[in-house]
Amino acid sequence: MDTHAALYKQGQDRLDYLRQFAQRQPVSLQEKMANLGISRRDFIKWTASVSAMFALPLPFSNLVAEAAELADRVPLIWLHLAECTGCSESLIRTDSPNLDTLIFDHISLEYHETLMAASGWQAEENLENALETYKGRYLLAVEGAVPTANNGTFLTVGCKGHTGLHIVKEAAENAAAIVSVGTCAAFGGVQAAAPNPTGAKGVYEVVDKPVINLGGCPPSEKNIVGTIMYFIMFGKLPALDMFNRPKWAYGARVHDNCERRGRFDAGEFVEEFGDEGAKAGYCLYKVGCKGPYTYNNCPTERFNHHTSWPVLAGHGCMGCSEPNFWDDMADFEKPLGRQLLHGVDATADTIGAVILGATVVGIGAHAVASVFAKPLEE
């Protein structure tokens, strides 16, 4: 209780600090919600869900509400490097809009190449002015890997021809916090797949400041907005795992919260796509699901207004929120079982296998017996 009280006080102090800055948005968040038919009740439900995501008690929903209404006090600079814009699409492609996208729209977005009207020299000036005006106060979000080969010349941006490497280093220097949005920015993504001719790297590998990594290709809008909301509330980064991902979003294995987990435990597996097991919703492990080796909240948060996620839609998890997934998780439609369990007794009560550094996977013997009942395809 004392810890929660201290954290609540810290959040209150942070929001009091933000209130010092003049409001930038001409229309308040409450007015925007009313215009879009989002009720106060819906807003309160949203604040409660965000508090629950952070594993905070219900009283913290008051802080979430205040933080959302003060979001326009936090300057956000969003850079695009070597990427496909899929992470931005994850956030802004919506049919409502829902509160997540509305909160993002309410934030003081100073620079975002996809969304802003400016281009050319005007865009360059906007970025330079934002870096100087909000020095030490802005939140830097980076989408895309950083090419580093040949001094970064595989990616040049804007009319001044600066490399992505130069831009991200310059922007990171005076950022209050840095967020890598998506696996490309976090760990290099597909751009860093072997043989990686452009020398693509994650942002944390090229800057000398702490970076929070939002793994996923793309990450859900909840993980993006939730991280921004946490920074607004507390002015710092949340508790992180060994790969600098927020524990509230990446603290549990996909496998443990999967709606098909019961099928796995019962030894009921899809043998090939389209078979009777696939129609019945059996476990997708034998057709390549990497859920046992992947940490993310996809099964609980899902995508598209909590509608679905890849496994529910019928395809196994690809492990896209993990470092080096493009190489380490291949083939995407074949199990890693033999590769991981090589030389290990598959009849033991629990099988421990290490992947991606330190992911310990426990598999019940009865499930393993079913998985290896007949040879897997090479």
Side-chain angles (χ1 to χ4, degrees):
M1 293 297 294
D2 291 341
T3 301
H4 282 149
L7 186 61
Y8 195 93
K9 177 63 166 58
Q10 181 179 336
Q12 285 183 317
D13 292 343
R14 164 68 174 171
L15 297 180
D16 287 342
Y17 167 76
L18 290 179
R19 287 189 183 91
Q20 302 173 35
F21 303 101
Q23 184 170 346
R24 297 179 56 82
Q25 298 290 343
V27 180
S28 72
L29 179 62
Q30 297 296 333
E31 292 173 313
K32 286 185 177 181
M33 289 194 302
N35 292 337
L36 293 168
I38 300 174
S39 68
R40 182 69 182 178
R41 179 182 177 84
D42 292 333
F43 182 58
I44 296 302
K45 288 169 62 177
W46 178 82
T47 61
S49 69
V50 172
S51 299
M53 276 199 316
F54 295 149
L56 294 173
L58 188 58
F60 276 81
S61 62
N62 295 328
L63 279 185
V64 175
E66 291 183 57
E69 291 164 355
L70 291 173
D72 55 3
R73 269 75 163 183
V74 176
L76 174 63
I77 295 174
W78 187 297
L79 300 179
H80 289 268
L81 301 182
E83 41 76 35
C84 67
T85 318
C87 299
S88 289
E89 293 282 358
S90 172
L91 186 60
I92 66 176
R93 286 185 71 87
T94 180
D95 58 10
S96 298
N98 61 12
L99 268 160
D100 291 325
T101 54
L102 184 58
I103 293 299
F104 184 77
D105 181 59
H106 190 62
I107 283 172
S108 179
L109 187 58
E110 300 297 324
Y111 184 86
H112 189 297
E113 291 163 15
T114 304
L115 301 180
M116 66 186 184
S119 62
W121 291 102
Q122 184 182 7
E124 294 276 3
E125 185 178 356
N126 286 353
L127 178 58
E128 292 169 359
N129 287 343
L131 293 177
E132 181 61 32
T133 303
Y134 304 108
K135 184 180 297 185
R137 290 201 294 117
Y138 60 84
L139 175 63
L140 176 64
V142 184
E143 182 176 356
V146 187
T148 61
N150 292 350
N151 295 318
T153 53
F154 284 99
L155 173 67
T156 58
V157 181
C159 50
K160 293 186 177 181
H162 289 316
T163 66
L165 180 62
H166 168 86
I167 294 171
V168 74
K169 285 186 173 183
E170 181 182 44
E173 185 175 353
N174 293 304
I178 306 169
V179 179
S180 289
V181 183
T183 296
C184 294
F187 309 118
V190 62
Q191 287 78 253
N196 192 8
T198 66
K201 295 182 179 180
V203 174
Y204 79 96
E205 297 180 88
V206 302
V207 302
D208 296 325
K209 300 179 73 172
V211 179
I212 184 169
N213 292 323
L214 301 183
C217 190
S220 75
E221 71 277 6
K222 280 282 189 288
N223 292 354
I224 301 171
V225 173
T227 300
I228 293 174
M229 291 301 298
Y230 192 98
F231 175 73
I232 293 172
M233 284 194 293
F234 302 112
K236 64 178 184 179
L237 303 181
L240 306 175
D241 70 5
M242 64 182 295
F243 297 121
N244 272 26
R245 300 173 300 193
K247 289 183 178 180
W248 61 263
Y250 301 87
R253 284 190 304 166
V254 166
H255 181 65
D256 294 333
N257 292 311
C258 179
E259 60 269 354
R260 299 179 189 241
R261 174 61 191 267
R263 300 291 195 176
F264 178 92
D265 292 341
E268 297 173 337
F269 295 92
V270 175
E271 300 291 338
E272 61 182 27
F273 291 109
D275 67 11
E276 291 304 313
K279 297 175 184 177
Y282 283 10
C283 176
L284 296 163
Y285 178 79
K286 293 179 73 172
V287 287
C289 184
K290 306 306 188 293
Y293 323 111
T294 304
Y295 286 76
N296 208 331
N297 56 5
C298 299
T300 53
E301 292 302 324
R302 299 182 178 179
F303 294 82
N304 300 323
H305 301 201
H306 299 279
T307 302
S308 189
W309 67 293
V311 172
L312 181 59
H315 193 284
C317 167
M318 296 172 63
C320 69
S321 58
E322 301 302 314
N324 305 316
F325 88 96
W326 196 263
D327 295 323
D328 292 345
M329 297 297 186
D331 291 320
F332 292 123
E333 295 183 351
K334 293 182 180 179
L336 291 179
R338 279 190 171 178
Q339 171 185 333
L340 290 176
L341 305 177
H342 179 67
V344 181
D345 181 8
T347 63
D349 289 338
T350 303
I351 293 177
V354 178
I355 185 174
L356 300 177
T359 303
V360 179
V361 182
I363 304 179
H366 61 292
V368 173
S370 176
V371 172
F372 296 100
K374 59 183 180 180
L376 302 175
E377 293 183 2
E378 295 294 338

